[in-house]
Amino acid sequence: MPTTSPTISATMAARAVDAIKVYGSGDTEVHALRGVNVGFERGRFTAIMGPSGSGKSTLMHCMAGLDRLTGGEAYIGDVAISTLNDKELTRLRREKVGFIFQAYNLVPTLNARENITLPLDLGGGDIDDAWVDEVIDAVGLSDRVTHRPNELSGGQQQRVAVARALATRPDMVFGDEPTGNLDSRTSSEILTFMRSAVDELGQSIVMVTHDPISASYADRVLFLDDGKIVHELFAPTTDSVLDAIRDLGH
Amino acid sequence: MFKLVRRGIAANLGRLLLTLASVFIGVAFVSGSFVLADSLRAVFSQVSEDIFAGIDAQVQAVEPELSSGFDLPRFDGALTEDIRALDEVEYAEGGLFAFEQTYTLDDEGEVNRPLGPPVFTSSWGGPSPVSAFTLLGGEAPAGQEIAIDQLQADTAGFEIGDTLTVALPTGQPEEFTLSALIDFGEGGAGGSYFNLFDLATTQRILELEGQVDSIVVAAAPGTDTDTLLTALDAVIPEGLEARSAEDVIADQEEEFGTVIDLIGNVLLGFAIVVLFVSIFIIYNTFAILVGQRTRQLGLLRSIGASAAQVRTMMLIEAAIIGLVAAVAGLFGGIGVAWLLKQLFSTAGGAFPDGPLEIQPRTIYVVVVVGLLVTLASALIPAFRASRVSPLEAVRDGGRKERSMLFRVVSGSAVILPGLILLGFGLFADIDGTAERLAAIGVGGGLSFLGVSMLSALFAEPLGEVLGYPIEKVKGVTGRLARENASRHPQRTATTATALMIGLALISGVAVLTASLLRTFDQLLEEAIVADLFVFEENQGLPFPAVVVDELEKLPEVDAVAGFATIEARVDGEVSDVAAYETATGIEVVNVGVSQGSIDVGTGGIAVLSDRAEELGLVLGQSVEVEFEDGFVTELTVEAIYQEDGFIGAPFVVDRALSSEHVASDDVGFVGITLAEGFDITAARTAVEAAVADVAQVVVQDNSEFRAEAEEQISQLQVIVIGLLVLCLVVAFFGIVNTMALSILERIREIGLLRAVGMTRSQLRASVRWEAVIVAVFGSLLGIIMGVLLGWATVTAVPDITGLAIPWTQLVIYLVVGAILGVIAAYFPAARAARLNVLDAIAHE
Ligand SMILES: Nc1ncnc2c1ncn2[C@@H]1O[C@H](COP(=O)(O)OP(=O)(O)O)[C@@H](O)[C@H]1O
Ligand SMILES: [Mg+2]
């Protein structure tokens, strides 16, 4: 496992170069990202930490193609997101990227399995049922596939969301505090699953978290403050993360 | 995709059903108007075919260009013998038919007649194999015998063998024995009464000795119709023609067709108005649904749904609703048609029985209309849905309001051209009322749209003002109601739109009819100078002119004039011409003579000023006039007059001249002024006695007559408003829908209020008062719009001169609007109050 920052290169699953994001204009101008350079390697699990308002969500949204940067560029593989039109961007979101939100991210009228296969259905291609079953099995939802979201617990709902993000075998899965709403036991189940997706399936994942324990599941932790990356940590443990946070003055 | 749509529909079933209901009503009316018209057409063509069963040809007079009455021209019946003598003819029989001439009388000496349909007098065509009539019982009439239809017998309580007194055009009632009951064709003739006599008696009582108006002919075996027609042509004189039965049937169908089309088109007009209102409601519902689903739409976009997919999804949803509504509406239309038939029947019209016709045309039109209306209304919301950003999936804080600026700009962009067009229609120098009305119609429609777009601007201040007294009286619940109504101006405006449109239409019509009424009143006041009037009570049908002669003899009567409307060719153009005793007519009706003297005599004519200008006629000039009997004469223009409102024709001639040249000497009404020194009550009794033999007429004094005339317009108003109330029903569905949606939007907030101690009844009260504010807001805007549009129309139509605004009615509408709001809020309020507090707070 590397212990130094990898050189950002086009072979990476996703990267941002001089990423700048400004919300509003004039008096209400907010600089959410002030020139972020970051790359996420394939088959790695990265955590992003930082105080509230430091730009973590903004970074996730812009890198996942949900929002556009004001300056700089974000890439998925070697595709520059800013060059894509709406159609291409939609395709990118459907095929190359998975996103796990903190909450409210299932379609309430569809059951668990339908939610998981939704991106595949939207793509209109044939669905690899064996793979879908494998994912469902892996997240431990085999006996819940016909349940609607309101019949599932928070942890189960989030597992469905993770399974949905993985179902398309995307280049990169982004998670914005995916365990933020869950108790510690459910959190650890989800994180263990994400970890195994990285180790066994070679999935690339990056997630935002506030919790040092959650961060310790990752291979690498990036610290963001006021729109800039201020620190990073490799092979983190709960203690090393806590130390880093203390050192950064929070 | 389909799955999502299907589930989406299932999840929002209730509100979509409400949306569906408004499409349904509109579509049902479209379907109903087609079904009714088609069914009537089918029934009437069946009747025509029944009547002509067994007949191959008919000989009749060539349809004249000029004819004042409803009856066919008569000719010498001796021709029947010549036709019978032909080898090609198996059978021939002359017939005589008349419209509104004889009436059976009841015990009080009053005429028996149906309320709407006419009474026919006819010769009995039997016992031939080709009779139009079917004997239901008894013997064919002969001599002093009469046969009547079953309906009349049932209504009046006559039985075969009874002696009936029958009022005749001679003015001398006679007694006849009821010999038979008959049916016309098979299945009756739409509630009409029939009085049948043998041909000779018919000729005698109609004072048409030896005359017939048709000869029906059956071909000898082995003779085809063409051969028969050729043979007939050889014996019939100039002015008559032989026509095949098919041709005659086709003509009759066409005649019925015009009336039926009119009924159908009126219904269709209402359908269009209802659909117009529905469009707003469907649009609203979809717009709100999109707003509420923003988060979900954002989620779909974030996991890779394309804009086109989201749009398609919304449109499929709309298409399904449209289709379901259309199919339901198709069947609903059958219900509407049935209901209207019942309605006409209870009003005395006795619609002919027959199955309801559903033609393929009805099905396509209805399905296409339902689908298109729904899809068109959902188009803008669907586009808006497709533009939801994927980030909406994570953004908190519900629906975003559109910026005021955007609303002002887009609203103004619609309303300005609307107002300009409206102003143009009102004040510009346009020829022709149709163009003017078109400008006003389109301008009004655009202004409508614009106002509904801009109404959010007024929602906040008006909500505050309307809410103020409620807050004062109801305290905290009133305050919440007021705040909720003014906090989201767009939501309030959207909810109110449905009501606004409904009320705008109704109040517009109210202003229009009130103005019509006032105009009519003014007209009558100026035009009518007679003390007493004699006219046919039921429909103002013509009656024999002998009445005038009778009245002239009375000492109580100073001046009397009988008014007839005939057709004549004046200066080469066929036109209506009023005919009355011009010497005395001036005492009875004021036509506003501006030049010359209205006493034109038998050698003169009076011309309406507008028409005189058109034709370039001036006083003293002579003009060629041809009467229906072919008589041509030169008449001198003796007078120019201004007011045709009451006599309804652009020319006046003396009846002494016209009565010589018309088939039946009838008048539409008679006006009388009394001689000095006679009391009106006594005089009236004398007049009534003098006209007693013409049983169908009544005598009224000036004010009664005016009241009666006004009554007829008021009835029109009631019918129109009644049908527009349907728009209110649609609007009601709309407001229930939007109200429910607007509560749903706030479930979390409601949970919070309940959590901090608001009681259920307080919650209900606050929702209810909010509804009142919203409803009054919508009604107020609607009424203002309606009054403006009504005023605009009144200004545009030159014939309506007296603008009247029915304030009381408008206030009633406002109250009704508020009540509708409260009713609409009932279910959402109850539902909100029933919510479990925790569920509500956890609600997304
Ligand atoms: N849509 C937005 N409009 C304006 N400012 C925003 C918006 N989203 C985020 N911000 C601002 O950008 C900064 C970074 O926000 P965010 O990326 O959500 O931070 P984090 O996720 O690290 O808490 C904050 O100051 C936030 O207020
Ligand atoms: Mg965040």
Side-chain angles (χ1 to χ4, degrees):
Chain A
M1 195 155 289
T3 51
T4 55
S5 188
T7 334
I8 299 171
S9 81
T11 60
M12 290 181 141
R15 65 205 152 100
V17 179
D18 298 329
I20 292 171
K21 178 71 181 179
V22 184
Y23 289 111
S25 59
D27 284 350
T28 58
E29 208 168 78
V30 177
H31 292 262
L33 299 176
R34 300 169 184 272
V36 172
N37 285 292
V38 67
F40 302 117
E41 292 167 285
R42 291 185 193 279
R44 286 289 148 77
F45 189 179
T46 313
I48 295 181
M49 301 192 75
S52 188
S54 58
K56 305 181 296 291
S57 297
T58 306
L59 184 63
M60 293 293 97
H61 296 156
C62 292
M63 292 193 74
L66 298 181
D67 203 355
R68 292 195 186 264
L69 286 168
T70 317
E73 187 60 273
Y75 297 88
I76 297 292
D78 54 0
V79 178
I81 290 176
S82 73
T83 63
L84 301 180
N85 64 24
D86 188 65
K87 226 179 195 152
E88 292 160 340
L89 203 57
T90 297
R91 212 183 151 100
L92 175 99
R93 287 199 291 262
R94 195 166 66 215
E95 291 170 2
K96 304 276 191 240
V97 170
F99 208 103
I100 309 163
F101 300 100
Q102 184 170 356
Y104 309 132
N105 54 18
L106 299 182
V107 177
T109 51
L110 298 180
N111 69 28
R113 190 188 170 92
E114 290 163 345
N115 261 290
I116 292 168
T117 58
L118 187 54
L120 303 167
D121 286 335
L122 288 169
D126 286 337
I127 294 179
D128 181 353
D129 282 314
W131 168 247
V132 172
D133 288 337
E134 194 181 327
V135 173
I136 290 172
D137 216 30
V139 292
L141 282 171
S142 307
D143 55 345
R144 288 277 185 282
V145 285
T146 58
H147 288 54
R148 296 271 178 96
N150 61 0
E151 298 159 341
L152 296 172
S153 73
Q156 286 165 336
Q157 287 186 36
Q158 205 59 336
R159 277 191 263 170
V160 174
V162 173
R164 183 183 62 205
L166 294 175
T168 56
R169 286 184 266 210
D171 289 5
M172 191 76 220
V173 170
F174 296 91
D176 194 356
E177 302 185 43
T179 59
N181 272 5
L182 305 175
D183 61 79
S184 56
R185 224 194 69 183
T186 318
S187 285
S188 84
E189 275 172 29
I190 301 257
L191 290 162
T192 308
F193 172 67
M194 287 165 77
R195 180 74 248 171
S196 68
V198 172
D199 293 340
E200 283 152 34
L201 308 171
Q203 185 64 58
S204 321
I205 300 181
V206 54
M207 73 165 178
V208 171
T209 182
H210 280 296
D211 175 25
I213 304 174
S214 302
S216 69
Y217 283 82
D219 300 316
R220 172 187 175 208
V221 183
L222 290 170
F223 291 89
L224 213 60
D225 194 10
D226 197 18
K228 284 195 288 268
I229 293 184
V230 291
H231 188 62
E232 70 183 322
L233 208 62
F234 291 91
T237 63
T238 311
D239 288 340
S240 67
V241 172
L242 277 171
D243 287 344
I245 291 172
R246 204 173 311 114
D247 291 347
L248 288 167
H250 292 283
Chain B
M1 280 279 287
F2 273 109
K3 203 158 35 191
L4 264 176
V5 172
R6 214 171 54 227
R7 299 285 169 76
I9 288 179
N12 296 301
L13 199 60
R15 65 193 88 146
L16 291 177
L17 277 178
L18 284 170
T19 312
L20 206 137
S22 57
V23 190
F24 167 80
I25 295 181
V27 169
F29 253 72
V30 175
S31 148
S33 55
F34 283 133
V35 170
L36 191 70
D38 290 341
S39 311
L40 286 176
R41 209 169 277 129
V43 168
F44 280 118
S45 63
Q46 187 59 49
V47 169
S48 302
E49 273 165 31
D50 285 349
I51 295 169
F52 283 93
I55 294 178
D56 298 303
Q58 173 166 305
V59 174
Q60 62 188 50
V62 177
E63 191 74 50
E65 231 183 310
L66 299 174
S67 79
S68 51
F70 298 89
D71 298 322
L72 288 171
R74 280 74 190 237
F75 55 91
D76 190 349
L79 181 62
T80 317
E81 288 311 318
D82 301 343
I83 291 174
R84 277 186 192 137
L86 290 172
D87 287 340
E88 292 83 355
V89 171
E90 162 93 14
Y91 180 86
E93 186 175 72
L96 187 55
F97 204 77
F99 181 79
E100 297 289 344
Q101 294 284 343
T102 67
Y103 304 90
T104 61
L105 299 181
D106 64 15
D107 296 341
E108 264 100 61
E110 297 291 328
V111 300
N112 291 311
R113 57 155 308 133
L115 235 72
V119 178
F120 295 108
T121 302
S122 174
S123 59
W124 165 248
S128 68
V130 296
S131 174
F133 302 99
T134 320
L135 270 186
L136 297 176
E139 300 282 322
Q144 282 305 106
E145 287 180 339
I146 183 173
I148 63 172
D149 57 288
Q150 182 83 54
L151 179 67
Q152 179 175 193
D154 289 347
T155 316
F158 293 142
E159 281 173 21
I160 293 176
D162 287 357
T163 302
L164 311 189
T165 312
V166 181
L168 302 176
T170 53
Q172 300 295 320
E174 287 181 24
E175 293 197 336
F176 290 88
T177 309
L178 180 57
S179 72
L181 296 181
I182 55 93
D183 193 7
F184 184 63
E186 266 158 49
S192 302
Y193 285 2
F194 290 88
N195 298 329
L196 308 185
F197 310 88
D198 66 23
L199 180 60
T201 310
T202 312
Q203 288 168 335
R204 179 178 64 77
I205 60 181
L206 294 179
E207 300 177 291
L208 292 164
E209 298 294 344
Q211 305 264 72
V212 295
D213 60 18
S214 65
I215 299 171
V216 291
V217 183
T223 307
D224 66 21
T225 310
D226 285 340
T227 321
L228 176 68
L229 290 179
T230 318
L232 288 172
D233 280 338
V235 293
I236 60 179
E238 185 85 11
L240 298 187
E241 59 180 346
R243 311 191 61 209
S244 71
E246 287 97 69
D247 285 355
V248 179
I249 291 174
D251 273 5
Q252 289 195 347
E253 280 175 6
E254 202 180 299
E255 243 165 74
F256 286 134
T258 1
V259 177
I260 292 165
D261 284 346
L262 185 73
I263 298 175
N265 287 343
V266 167
L267 274 175
L268 211 57
F270 281 107
I272 289 169
V273 172
V274 172
L275 283 173
F276 179 71
V277 178
S278 314
I279 287 179
F280 276 82
I281 289 165
I282 303 162
Y283 165 80
N284 267 348
T285 313
F286 277 104
I288 296 179
L289 280 178
V290 168
Q292 287 183 344
R293 286 196 215 157
T294 301
R295 186 190 281 277
Q296 192 183 321
L297 294 170
L299 175 67
L300 287 174
R301 293 284 281 136
S302 79
I303 61 173
S306 67
Q309 278 173 322
V310 169
R311 195 164 53 230
T312 312
M313 210 175 84
M314 298 301 296
L315 288 178
I316 292 177
E317 194 166 320
I320 293 175
I321 291 178
L323 207 61
V324 173
V327 172
L330 183 66
F331 290 102
I334 300 169
V336 168
W338 181 83
L339 217 78
L340 283 171
K341 263 178 80 167
Q342 298 311 106
L343 239 139
F344 279 116
S345 297
T346 44
F351 257 72
D353 277 335
L356 288 171
E357 284 273 310
I358 301 152
Q359 298 209 343
R361 188 263 274 108
T362 311
I363 300 177
Y364 329 129
V365 170
V366 160
V367 169
V368 168
V369 163
L371 256 178
L372 279 188
V373 163
T374 321
L375 279 179
S377 330
L379 212 58
I380 294 173
F383 267 91
R384 212 176 282 161
S386 71
R387 290 221 310 274
V388 165
S389 134
L391 274 184
E392 295 290 349
V394 285
R395 215 167 264 159
D396 201 31
R399 196 139 69 92
K400 266 197 314 196
E401 298 250 322
R402 291 219 151 196
S403 81
M404 274 295 169
L405 186 70
F406 175 82
R407 250 183 266 144
V408 173
V409 170
S410 56
S412 312
V414 174
I415 203 170
L416 282 181
L419 287 177
I420 289 170
L421 217 63
L422 201 61
F424 184 70
L426 288 180
F427 307 114
D429 193 18
I430 311 176
D431 285 338
T433 307
E435 285 85 349
R436 204 175 271 281
L437 283 178
I440 290 181
V442 175
L446 285 178
S447 312
F448 243 123
L449 262 176
V451 168
S452 73
M453 288 165 81
L454 288 176
S455 60
L457 290 182
F458 324 124
E460 193 172 345
L462 257 174
E464 293 284 344
V465 172
L466 294 173
Y468 183 77
I470 297 176
E471 181 179 350
K472 278 282 161 265
V473 179
K474 304 304 289 186
V476 66
T477 53
R479 171 119 157 259
L480 278 170
R482 195 200 69 191
E483 279 177 357
N484 277 331
S486 53
R487 186 179 49 166
H488 283 297
Q490 185 65 60
R491 181 171 67 201
T492 301
T494 307
T495 313
T497 304
L499 214 51
M500 178 187 107
I501 296 163
L503 279 176
L505 287 171
I506 293 182
S507 24
V509 170
V511 169
L512 196 61
T513 42
S515 303
L516 257 176
L517 214 66
R518 171 166 300 176
T519 306
F520 196 61
D521 203 36
Q522 288 169 350
L523 182 77
L524 290 177
E525 188 130 350
E526 284 164 20
I528 297 186
V529 277
D531 297 315
L532 290 174
F533 284 91
V534 180
F535 60 97
E536 193 272 326
E537 182 175 31
N538 211 271
Q539 307 199 340
L541 293 166
F543 54 92
V546 286
V547 168
V548 182
D549 308 331
E550 293 299 318
L551 290 170
E552 260 168 3
K553 296 179 199 151
L554 294 179
E556 289 90 345
V557 170
D558 175 32
V560 56
F563 290 77
T565 306
I566 62 166
E567 262 185 5
R569 196 192 305 275
V570 182
D571 201 17
E573 294 272 343
V574 175
S575 170
D576 277 345
V577 174
Y580 57 93
E581 287 74 0
T582 51
T584 49
I586 189 148
E587 308 285 336
V588 176
V589 164
N590 177 10
V591 292
V593 176
S594 58
Q595 295 173 47
S597 159
I598 192 72
D599 181 8
V600 295
T602 50
I605 185 167
V607 187
L608 182 69
S609 59
D610 288 354
R611 188 60 65 97
E613 211 167 288
E614 257 170 56
L615 299 177
L617 290 174
V618 293
L619 230 49
Q621 211 170 328
S622 71
V623 57
E624 192 184 82
V625 178
E626 181 187 341
F627 290 90
E628 61 178 82
D629 63 346
F631 173 74
V632 182
T633 181
E634 291 278 329
L635 297 178
T636 313
V637 177
E638 296 283 0
I640 303 289
Y641 64 97
Q642 305 288 337
E643 298 292 335
D644 63 340
F646 198 70
I647 55 172
F651 301 99
V652 174
V653 299
D654 200 283
R655 216 166 57 77
L657 171 69
S658 69
S659 61
E660 298 293 314
H661 304 289
V662 292
S664 55
D665 189 14
D666 291 331
V667 291
F669 68 94
V670 175
I672 301 160
T673 49
L674 298 180
E676 290 286 330
F678 284 97
D679 169 49
I680 182 130
T681 332
R684 184 172 175 165
T685 315
V687 168
E688 275 167 356
V691 301
D693 286 341
V694 184
Q696 69 267 37
V697 300
V698 292
V699 179
Q700 285 189 345
D701 68 23
N702 192 308
S703 58
E704 281 170 338
F705 183 68
R706 249 195 272 169
E708 176 113 352
E710 280 164 19
E711 178 82 0
Q712 278 170 7
I713 292 209
S714 314
Q715 269 169 10
L716 183 80
Q717 184 181 20
V718 169
I719 293 170
V720 172
I721 298 252
L723 282 163
L724 282 180
V725 163
L726 257 176
C727 293
L728 261 199
V729 174
V730 176
F732 176 71
F733 282 115
I735 193 170
V736 171
N737 209 353
T738 35
M739 211 60 215
L741 289 169
S742 107
I743 297 292
L744 208 76
E745 238 174 45
R746 281 182 269 160
I747 283 196
R748 224 185 194 156
E749 191 180 311
I750 287 167
L752 207 67
L753 287 172
R754 295 268 290 118
V756 299
M758 183 179 244
T759 66
R760 290 202 162 147
S761 69
Q762 279 175 323
L763 181 61
R764 268 197 301 268
S766 97
V767 172
R768 192 163 55 232
W769 285 112
E770 179 186 341
V772 170
I773 297 174
V774 173
V776 170
F777 167 72
S779 309
L780 214 58
L781 275 188
I783 289 171
I784 294 171
M785 282 294 292
V787 169
L788 286 178
L789 284 180
W791 169 72
T793 317
V794 168
T795 316
V797 181
D799 289 339
I800 311 178
T801 49
L803 175 71
I805 296 174
W807 294 110
T808 335
Q809 256 181 60
L810 295 181
V811 170
I812 293 172
Y813 295 152
L814 191 64
V815 174
V816 168
I819 293 172
L820 282 184
V822 175
I823 300 173
Y826 177 80
F827 292 106
R831 180 155 169 236
R834 246 188 291 116
L835 278 175
N836 175 300
V837 178
L838 288 178
D839 285 352
I841 292 175
H843 190 92
E844 290 175 24

